[in-house]
Amino acid sequence: MEVEKSQEHWCASRMPRFLYKHYIHVLAFIFAIEEINRNPLLLPNVSLGYHIYNSYHSHQRTLEGPVLWLSGGREEIPNYNCESQSKSVAVVEGITSAFVLQLGTLLELYKFPQISYGLFDPLLSDKELLPSLYQMSPKDSSLALGMVKLLLHFSWTWVGLIVSDDMKGEQFLWELKEDMAREGVCAAFTEKVSTAERFIPFSNWVAMPNIDNPSINVTVVYGDTDALTALTILIMNSLDTWKVWITTYQWDFTTNGEIFLLNHFHGTLILSKQSREIPGFRQFLETVNPSKYPEDIFLKKLWLFSFDCSLSGPDCETLEDCPLNASVASVPLHYFDMSTSDFIKTTYDSVYSVAHALHEVLLLKTQVESEENANPLVFYQWQLHQPLRVIQFTNSIGDQVTLDENRNSVAQYDILNYCNLPSGLQHLVKVGKFVPQAPHGQELTIHKEIIDWAIGFEEAPLSVCSPSCGPGFWKTTQEGKAICCFNCTMCPEGEISNKTDSDDCTKCPDDQYPNSGRNHCLPKAVTFLAYEDPLGTALASVALCFSALTAVVLGVFVKHRHTPIVKANNRTLSYILLISLFLCFLCSLLFIGRPNTATCILRQIIFGIMFTVVVSTILAKTIIVLLAFKATTPGRKTRWFLGSGISSSVIFICFFIQATLSGIWLGIAPPFIDIDAHSEYGHLIIECNKGSVIAFYCALGFMGSLALVSFILAFLARNLPDTFNEAKFLTFSMLMFCSVWITFLPVYHSSKGKVMVAVEIFSILTSSAGILGCIFAPKCYIILIRPDRNTLQATLSGIWLGIAPPFIDIDAHSEYGHLIIECNKGSVIAFYCALGFMGSLALVSFILAFLARNLPDTFNEAKFLTFSMLMFCSVWITFLPVYHSSKGKVMVAVEIFSILTSSAGILGSTVIILELDIRKKVTEPVFFTRKLQLHIPPQGTTSPFSQNSGGKDRTKGEANHNPRRLSHARKSLGCQESGSHSAPGSTEKATLAEASLLCLSDTGFE
């Protein structure tokens, strides 16, 4: 028992006050002994007696009671026992570990069996230090977990910890922090309190600032009353401290009977071990009174202070004016606590453990010493150790009892709410329970509606470091702080959190997406590049428009198939190219609409094959252009290739390679329907997966290589004569084609969903339209708008004006101090092509006139034509170096001079010819009226026209000319068929020269 102070007198107000909280353990002790003495099966013919000694609440007087008992109970004489008749065999002690440790150290000298009915303490289980000490309470592993579950139930994650500074407190603190860390609860502060601190002034107590922290509304307290006395007094004297305390039944803070209207412990939650009531114990308490146990001075004092009795008699030992129905069961809570029944049970079991051990020892001694007529009741107390170590029995409640300290107990706890009414009435209300063996999530049961919270709180207070994160947010820790101090961050894209204080966010399924609050998932809408979409409608319209335009161009080319510009580069290749482009435009429609297996396969295969045909056709056209100019060189064998179907071979080979690649693609990993759940927020995009990406890029790479080869060849052929200037357009078309598909790759890879499909469609349409425009637009312009230019020379001039027409330029360098305004020719190449074309015509005219210079004088005009072309060529050949060596106005003057000189030369020759004609008509009229006699020699003779300059006879080789050849020659010279003007037999034997004369005769030279 605990004594606050000792006084000399026992009467009235000078009577000392005891702390009666632990007196219930004494009553349980007495009840167990009386029950054992009534039991005929346990210790028959033996009655147990007992001594009760007080354990003073003072370090100086802790061993006062034990020394008095060891000395015989009269005087405190160490090492002497003055009571020879009474022999104690065991000690039942408690409840603080500090008292048990000090007492155990003393009693270990005498090998007294000691049974502690207090809480299990790992320090007391050291058998090397205390081999004679046994702990009735098992090791409890569920108390810390129960407290953590209680904290989590009310979302208290920022709490203070106050524990006793001893081994038991250290063990509990380690278990509690481990469970708190596992469940995400943080300790705002941790304070350890020892019994020595109750003597420290309140102002110097270091725990005070932490307890007063307004953000910490909940504090967990663990320790016994002795260790936490200072904390109890501190809280009672700190009127500003209003907290929710979570503690155990060990801490008794209801030790004062004074009335506090604002009790600082009001609303405290207490975890108390569940224990069934001992049968008959409550009835026993109702019969307990001072008259039944007159020698019990503690019971008399309890009655005196609990029921306001008065003392009388000379020794102040007679109680008067007590209620007739007074009993221990009705004692106020601050004097007596029936709810802490666990210590009642351990006290009861401790007495029974000693009784069973004593029963075993006496039974053994009776069997052994009966033959020696010895007294079996005489034995040494150390002989009880062996049976106590192995003792095991079932108590009256039905629980198995053992003193094995290696056992663990998974206890169940009642959760009690301490209430202090304004009238001073204090009571504990059961508001819940904790059952560790219950299914997960159901271990704790709380009835929050019946809890009376601490002063100032109408409901469960908040005790958090950071406000809770609502649904849609997750906790991100603050650097350098505990995990309970966090920031609330919205869940990232595609994730949600549907509960408060989520540690992370959860991804929505692929077919769902988060709502705007990101606290639940919504089903995604199924979409694809449909014709109804604005993008799909636009692309489909463009594809159809270009398809129709390609068909129109094809019709124009078919209609004008005999014109020079259509025939310039193989009409068949142009038709193939236009048909392929038409199909390319249409194949883009396969990419629009809801994909299925057929369209997924067809869109890639048709796209690859059609574009391969287009590019291979352009390659064939380019090759034809190059071979055509190579074939004009004498002695070259390239003329053979022009007639050997090389264009068809190029197209077929490329088509075959692309078809083979497509077949391999379909055989290994064909395209299939896939669902893209990530590209477009809130939508599931149905698309075609290419199956084998390598095969797709192989097909695309093959087309790219063909386009590159075509571009290189067309680029090399760009400077060919302007008659075949299609090579330039082929160059531009391939340059545009390559630019589109090179740009396509990064754009395609950086886009997703419907945009990716749209990019591919756009690339198909753009590249096809580029080829159509670059190659066929200039030709259609000439055919439809400028038909007058659909000739060889007109074509060249038109191309010059179309590519780089002349423009006004300023020469600031040719003449010092002057700016010369002049005409820049635009394309120098086109200028020299036109000049070269005129020069080639003049050269051909000169050669033909030179060959005709030796004709009879009647046709002496050929000589003048020869001289005129000779002068023309001489002027323009001289023009080139002079033109390039001059600058400014002189360059223009040189060009004008060349024009005038060459024109004057031609004019002079024409005037001379006209003058000769007039003179011959005047002087020789007979010549025009005389019929030209053609002498056709008989077969085998020599014609005068058949002799060459060397005088050799060519009649033999020309005698058997085909009549058709003669007729063709006549027609090519512009002759009309007339039988009256031809000499008989001339069609079989005349030479080409003779045919020319016949032609001249037919024209009227009679």
mmCIF file of all heavy atoms in Angstrom, residues 729-759:
data_model
loop_
_atom_site.group_PDB
_atom_site.id
_atom_site.type_symbol
_atom_site.label_atom_id
_atom_site.label_comp_id
_atom_site.label_asym_id
_atom_site.label_seq_id
_atom_site.Cartn_x
_atom_site.Cartn_y
_atom_site.Cartn_z
ATOM 1 N N PHE A 729 11.164 18.402 -114.701
ATOM 2 C CA PHE A 729 9.950 18.163 -113.920
ATOM 3 C C PHE A 729 10.031 16.856 -113.144
ATOM 4 O O PHE A 729 9.505 16.740 -112.029
ATOM 5 C CB PHE A 729 8.732 18.175 -114.846
ATOM 6 C CG PHE A 729 8.581 19.468 -115.598
ATOM 7 C CD1 PHE A 729 8.697 19.511 -116.980
ATOM 8 C CD2 PHE A 729 8.338 20.650 -114.913
ATOM 9 C CE1 PHE A 729 8.566 20.697 -117.651
ATOM 10 C CE2 PHE A 729 8.207 21.841 -115.595
ATOM 11 C CZ PHE A 729 8.324 21.880 -116.974
ATOM 12 N N LEU A 730 10.661 15.861 -113.723
ATOM 13 C CA LEU A 730 10.881 14.612 -112.999
ATOM 14 C C LEU A 730 11.758 14.853 -111.771
ATOM 15 O O LEU A 730 11.540 14.277 -110.697
ATOM 16 C CB LEU A 730 11.526 13.565 -113.905
ATOM 17 C CG LEU A 730 10.699 13.105 -115.108
ATOM 18 C CD1 LEU A 730 11.491 12.103 -115.936
ATOM 19 C CD2 LEU A 730 9.387 12.488 -114.660
ATOM 20 N N THR A 731 12.763 15.732 -111.946
ATOM 21 C CA THR A 731 13.639 16.056 -110.809
ATOM 22 C C THR A 731 12.849 16.700 -109.683
ATOM 23 O O THR A 731 12.956 16.316 -108.509
ATOM 24 C CB THR A 731 14.760 16.992 -111.268
ATOM 25 O OG1 THR A 731 15.484 16.380 -112.338
ATOM 26 C CG2 THR A 731 15.705 17.295 -110.120
ATOM 27 N N PHE A 732 12.023 17.706 -110.056
ATOM 28 C CA PHE A 732 11.236 18.390 -109.027
ATOM 29 C C PHE A 732 10.227 17.453 -108.366
ATOM 30 O O PHE A 732 9.983 17.522 -107.159
ATOM 31 C CB PHE A 732 10.527 19.601 -109.633
ATOM 32 C CG PHE A 732 11.446 20.754 -109.926
ATOM 33 C CD1 PHE A 732 11.606 21.233 -111.210
ATOM 34 C CD2 PHE A 732 12.152 21.356 -108.897
ATOM 35 C CE1 PHE A 732 12.456 22.293 -111.469
ATOM 36 C CE2 PHE A 732 13.004 22.423 -109.161
ATOM 37 C CZ PHE A 732 13.156 22.894 -110.450
ATOM 38 N N SER A 733 9.618 16.582 -109.169
ATOM 39 C CA SER A 733 8.626 15.658 -108.588
ATOM 40 C C SER A 733 9.283 14.708 -107.596
ATOM 41 O O SER A 733 8.744 14.455 -106.508
ATOM 42 C CB SER A 733 7.933 14.878 -109.704
ATOM 43 O OG SER A 733 8.856 14.005 -110.359
ATOM 44 N N MET A 734 10.453 14.182 -107.924
ATOM 45 C CA MET A 734 11.142 13.280 -107.017
ATOM 46 C C MET A 734 11.710 14.018 -105.802
ATOM 47 O O MET A 734 11.769 13.480 -104.699
ATOM 48 C CB MET A 734 12.264 12.545 -107.749
ATOM 49 C CG MET A 734 11.768 11.479 -108.707
ATOM 50 S SD MET A 734 10.874 10.135 -107.869
ATOM 51 C CE MET A 734 9.152 10.658 -108.045
ATOM 52 N N LEU A 735 12.124 15.270 -106.026
ATOM 53 C CA LEU A 735 12.592 16.058 -104.896
ATOM 54 C C LEU A 735 11.453 16.290 -103.904
ATOM 55 O O LEU A 735 11.634 16.159 -102.678
ATOM 56 C CB LEU A 735 13.131 17.399 -105.398
ATOM 57 C CG LEU A 735 13.652 18.356 -104.313
ATOM 58 C CD1 LEU A 735 14.814 17.726 -103.546
ATOM 59 C CD2 LEU A 735 14.082 19.687 -104.947
ATOM 60 N N MET A 736 10.294 16.592 -104.424
ATOM 61 C CA MET A 736 9.134 16.786 -103.550
ATOM 62 C C MET A 736 8.728 15.471 -102.892
ATOM 63 O O MET A 736 8.409 15.430 -101.706
ATOM 64 C CB MET A 736 7.973 17.369 -104.354
ATOM 65 C CG MET A 736 6.775 17.696 -103.490
ATOM 66 S SD MET A 736 5.472 18.513 -104.420
ATOM 67 C CE MET A 736 4.296 18.809 -103.101
ATOM 68 N N PHE A 737 8.746 14.396 -103.633
ATOM 69 C CA PHE A 737 8.389 13.082 -103.093
ATOM 70 C C PHE A 737 9.317 12.719 -101.932
ATOM 71 O O PHE A 737 8.858 12.314 -100.846
ATOM 72 C CB PHE A 737 8.466 12.040 -104.211
ATOM 73 C CG PHE A 737 8.059 10.662 -103.778
ATOM 74 C CD1 PHE A 737 6.735 10.267 -103.863
ATOM 75 C CD2 PHE A 737 8.989 9.763 -103.284
ATOM 76 C CE1 PHE A 737 6.353 8.996 -103.468
ATOM 77 C CE2 PHE A 737 8.616 8.490 -102.887
ATOM 78 C CZ PHE A 737 7.289 8.100 -102.978
ATOM 79 N N CYS A 738 10.616 12.857 -102.157
ATOM 80 C CA CYS A 738 11.581 12.517 -101.098
ATOM 81 C C CYS A 738 11.435 13.453 -99.904
ATOM 82 O O CYS A 738 11.522 13.005 -98.749
ATOM 83 C CB CYS A 738 13.005 12.591 -101.653
ATOM 84 S SG CYS A 738 13.377 11.339 -102.916
ATOM 85 N N SER A 739 11.181 14.740 -100.166
ATOM 86 C CA SER A 739 11.025 15.689 -99.062
ATOM 87 C C SER A 739 9.820 15.331 -98.200
ATOM 88 O O SER A 739 9.873 15.384 -96.969
ATOM 89 C CB SER A 739 10.888 17.106 -99.601
ATOM 90 O OG SER A 739 12.020 17.460 -100.370
ATOM 91 N N VAL A 740 8.731 14.960 -98.853
ATOM 92 C CA VAL A 740 7.513 14.603 -98.106
ATOM 93 C C VAL A 740 7.751 13.397 -97.209
ATOM 94 O O VAL A 740 7.427 13.402 -96.017
ATOM 95 C CB VAL A 740 6.353 14.341 -99.075
ATOM 96 C CG1 VAL A 740 5.179 13.686 -98.346
ATOM 97 C CG2 VAL A 740 5.908 15.630 -99.728
ATOM 98 N N TRP A 741 8.365 12.345 -97.757
ATOM 99 C CA TRP A 741 8.502 11.111 -96.971
ATOM 100 C C TRP A 741 9.657 11.173 -95.981
ATOM 101 O O TRP A 741 9.644 10.449 -94.982
ATOM 102 C CB TRP A 741 8.645 9.923 -97.916
ATOM 103 C CG TRP A 741 7.332 9.622 -98.588
ATOM 104 C CD1 TRP A 741 6.994 9.914 -99.861
ATOM 105 C CD2 TRP A 741 6.186 9.022 -97.989
ATOM 106 N NE1 TRP A 741 5.704 9.524 -100.120
ATOM 107 C CE2 TRP A 741 5.174 8.963 -98.979
ATOM 108 C CE3 TRP A 741 5.897 8.537 -96.720
ATOM 109 C CZ2 TRP A 741 3.921 8.435 -98.731
ATOM 110 C CZ3 TRP A 741 4.648 8.006 -96.462
ATOM 111 C CH2 TRP A 741 3.668 7.956 -97.460
ATOM 112 N N ILE A 742 10.640 12.020 -96.245
ATOM 113 C CA ILE A 742 11.668 12.234 -95.220
ATOM 114 C C ILE A 742 11.080 13.010 -94.043
ATOM 115 O O ILE A 742 11.342 12.714 -92.877
ATOM 116 C CB ILE A 742 12.879 12.967 -95.815
ATOM 117 C CG1 ILE A 742 13.631 12.030 -96.782
ATOM 118 C CG2 ILE A 742 13.818 13.446 -94.722
ATOM 119 C CD1 ILE A 742 14.762 12.706 -97.531
ATOM 120 N N THR A 743 10.250 14.012 -94.367
ATOM 121 C CA THR A 743 9.565 14.747 -93.294
ATOM 122 C C THR A 743 8.556 13.861 -92.579
ATOM 123 O O THR A 743 8.287 14.039 -91.390
ATOM 124 C CB THR A 743 8.865 15.976 -93.891
ATOM 125 O OG1 THR A 743 9.795 16.719 -94.669
ATOM 126 C CG2 THR A 743 8.291 16.860 -92.796
ATOM 127 N N PHE A 744 8.000 12.908 -93.314
ATOM 128 C CA PHE A 744 6.974 12.025 -92.738
ATOM 129 C C PHE A 744 7.486 11.251 -91.528
ATOM 130 O O PHE A 744 6.766 11.089 -90.535
ATOM 131 C CB PHE A 744 6.506 11.057 -93.830
ATOM 132 C CG PHE A 744 5.803 9.837 -93.307
ATOM 133 C CD1 PHE A 744 4.472 9.886 -92.924
ATOM 134 C CD2 PHE A 744 6.475 8.616 -93.197
ATOM 135 C CE1 PHE A 744 3.820 8.759 -92.452
ATOM 136 C CE2 PHE A 744 5.827 7.490 -92.723
ATOM 137 C CZ PHE A 744 4.504 7.562 -92.355
ATOM 138 N N LEU A 745 8.743 10.780 -91.588
ATOM 139 C CA LEU A 745 9.246 9.885 -90.537
ATOM 140 C C LEU A 745 9.219 10.521 -89.150
ATOM 141 O O LEU A 745 8.620 9.959 -88.221
ATOM 142 C CB LEU A 745 10.657 9.410 -90.904
ATOM 143 C CG LEU A 745 10.737 8.502 -92.136
ATOM 144 C CD1 LEU A 745 12.184 8.178 -92.457
ATOM 145 C CD2 LEU A 745 9.928 7.232 -91.924
ATOM 146 N N PRO A 746 9.860 11.683 -88.921
ATOM 147 C CA PRO A 746 9.795 12.251 -87.554
ATOM 148 C C PRO A 746 8.396 12.673 -87.138
ATOM 149 O O PRO A 746 8.020 12.521 -85.979
ATOM 150 C CB PRO A 746 10.755 13.429 -87.617
ATOM 151 C CG PRO A 746 10.835 13.788 -89.057
ATOM 152 C CD PRO A 746 10.689 12.514 -89.814
ATOM 153 N N VAL A 747 7.636 13.225 -88.096
ATOM 154 C CA VAL A 747 6.278 13.652 -87.752
ATOM 155 C C VAL A 747 5.414 12.453 -87.405
ATOM 156 O O VAL A 747 4.620 12.477 -86.457
ATOM 157 C CB VAL A 747 5.668 14.454 -88.918
ATOM 158 C CG1 VAL A 747 4.220 14.831 -88.611
ATOM 159 C CG2 VAL A 747 6.493 15.687 -89.190
ATOM 160 N N TYR A 748 5.585 11.365 -88.141
ATOM 161 C CA TYR A 748 4.793 10.157 -87.899
ATOM 162 C C TYR A 748 5.096 9.575 -86.526
ATOM 163 O O TYR A 748 4.201 9.143 -85.796
ATOM 164 C CB TYR A 748 5.106 9.136 -88.997
ATOM 165 C CG TYR A 748 4.287 7.876 -88.929
ATOM 166 C CD1 TYR A 748 2.961 7.857 -89.347
ATOM 167 C CD2 TYR A 748 4.849 6.693 -88.460
ATOM 168 C CE1 TYR A 748 2.209 6.689 -89.293
ATOM 169 C CE2 TYR A 748 4.102 5.523 -88.407
ATOM 170 C CZ TYR A 748 2.795 5.526 -88.829
ATOM 171 O OH TYR A 748 2.048 4.371 -88.765
ATOM 172 N N HIS A 749 6.378 9.568 -86.156
ATOM 173 C CA HIS A 749 6.764 8.990 -84.869
ATOM 174 C C HIS A 749 6.399 9.902 -83.699
ATOM 175 O O HIS A 749 6.257 9.416 -82.578
ATOM 176 C CB HIS A 749 8.266 8.703 -84.856
ATOM 177 C CG HIS A 749 8.626 7.452 -85.577
ATOM 178 N ND1 HIS A 749 8.359 6.195 -85.077
ATOM 179 C CD2 HIS A 749 9.209 7.249 -86.787
ATOM 180 C CE1 HIS A 749 8.785 5.279 -85.923
ATOM 181 N NE2 HIS A 749 9.294 5.892 -86.969
ATOM 182 N N SER A 750 6.259 11.183 -83.937
ATOM 183 C CA SER A 750 5.911 12.095 -82.847
ATOM 184 C C SER A 750 4.413 12.261 -82.677
ATOM 185 O O SER A 750 3.975 12.942 -81.758
ATOM 186 C CB SER A 750 6.538 13.463 -83.097
ATOM 187 O OG SER A 750 6.037 14.029 -84.300
ATOM 188 N N SER A 751 3.627 11.659 -83.546
ATOM 189 C CA SER A 751 2.172 11.758 -83.451
ATOM 190 C C SER A 751 1.590 10.445 -82.966
ATOM 191 O O SER A 751 2.247 9.406 -83.006
ATOM 192 C CB SER A 751 1.572 12.148 -84.805
ATOM 193 O OG SER A 751 1.958 11.211 -85.798
ATOM 194 N N LYS A 752 0.356 10.514 -82.506
ATOM 195 C CA LYS A 752 -0.306 9.343 -81.954
ATOM 196 C C LYS A 752 -1.765 9.335 -82.373
ATOM 197 O O LYS A 752 -2.331 10.360 -82.734
ATOM 198 C CB LYS A 752 -0.212 9.326 -80.420
ATOM 199 C CG LYS A 752 1.197 9.193 -79.870
ATOM 200 C CD LYS A 752 1.201 9.205 -78.358
ATOM 201 C CE LYS A 752 2.608 9.057 -77.813
ATOM 202 N NZ LYS A 752 2.622 9.092 -76.319
ATOM 203 N N GLY A 753 -2.346 8.122 -82.285
ATOM 204 C CA GLY A 753 -3.773 7.991 -82.501
ATOM 205 C C GLY A 753 -4.212 8.360 -83.900
ATOM 206 O O GLY A 753 -3.571 8.024 -84.910
ATOM 207 N N LYS A 754 -5.325 9.089 -83.966
ATOM 208 C CA LYS A 754 -5.869 9.467 -85.264
ATOM 209 C C LYS A 754 -4.938 10.394 -86.022
ATOM 210 O O LYS A 754 -4.932 10.397 -87.260
ATOM 211 C CB LYS A 754 -7.231 10.140 -85.067
ATOM 212 C CG LYS A 754 -8.301 9.227 -84.502
ATOM 213 C CD LYS A 754 -9.667 9.856 -84.564
ATOM 214 C CE LYS A 754 -9.790 11.020 -83.629
ATOM 215 N NZ LYS A 754 -11.172 11.560 -83.591
ATOM 216 N N VAL A 755 -4.168 11.178 -85.300
ATOM 217 C CA VAL A 755 -3.238 12.089 -85.972
ATOM 218 C C VAL A 755 -2.179 11.312 -86.744
ATOM 219 O O VAL A 755 -1.771 11.717 -87.843
ATOM 220 C CB VAL A 755 -2.574 13.021 -84.928
ATOM 221 C CG1 VAL A 755 -1.580 13.952 -85.588
ATOM 222 C CG2 VAL A 755 -3.631 13.809 -84.184
ATOM 223 N N MET A 756 -1.758 10.175 -86.205
ATOM 224 C CA MET A 756 -0.772 9.354 -86.904
ATOM 225 C C MET A 756 -1.328 8.862 -88.238
ATOM 226 O O MET A 756 -0.645 8.891 -89.266
ATOM 227 C CB MET A 756 -0.374 8.169 -86.021
ATOM 228 C CG MET A 756 0.629 7.235 -86.658
ATOM 229 S SD MET A 756 1.048 5.847 -85.585
ATOM 230 C CE MET A 756 2.083 6.666 -84.374
ATOM 231 N N VAL A 757 -2.584 8.412 -88.224
ATOM 232 C CA VAL A 757 -3.214 7.967 -89.475
ATOM 233 C C VAL A 757 -3.355 9.136 -90.438
ATOM 234 O O VAL A 757 -3.108 9.004 -91.641
ATOM 235 C CB VAL A 757 -4.583 7.328 -89.170
ATOM 236 C CG1 VAL A 757 -5.234 6.840 -90.453
ATOM 237 C CG2 VAL A 757 -4.432 6.182 -88.184
ATOM 238 N N ALA A 758 -3.749 10.297 -89.890
ATOM 239 C CA ALA A 758 -3.909 11.471 -90.744
ATOM 240 C C ALA A 758 -2.590 11.898 -91.369
ATOM 241 O O ALA A 758 -2.552 12.335 -92.530
ATOM 242 C CB ALA A 758 -4.506 12.621 -89.931
ATOM 243 N N VAL A 759 -1.500 11.768 -90.628
ATOM 244 C CA VAL A 759 -0.183 12.120 -91.164
ATOM 245 C C VAL A 759 0.162 11.216 -92.350
ATOM 246 O O VAL A 759 0.683 11.683 -93.378
ATOM 247 C CB VAL A 759 0.885 12.018 -90.056
ATOM 248 C CG1 VAL A 759 2.290 12.060 -90.651
ATOM 249 C CG2 VAL A 759 0.719 13.148 -89.062
#
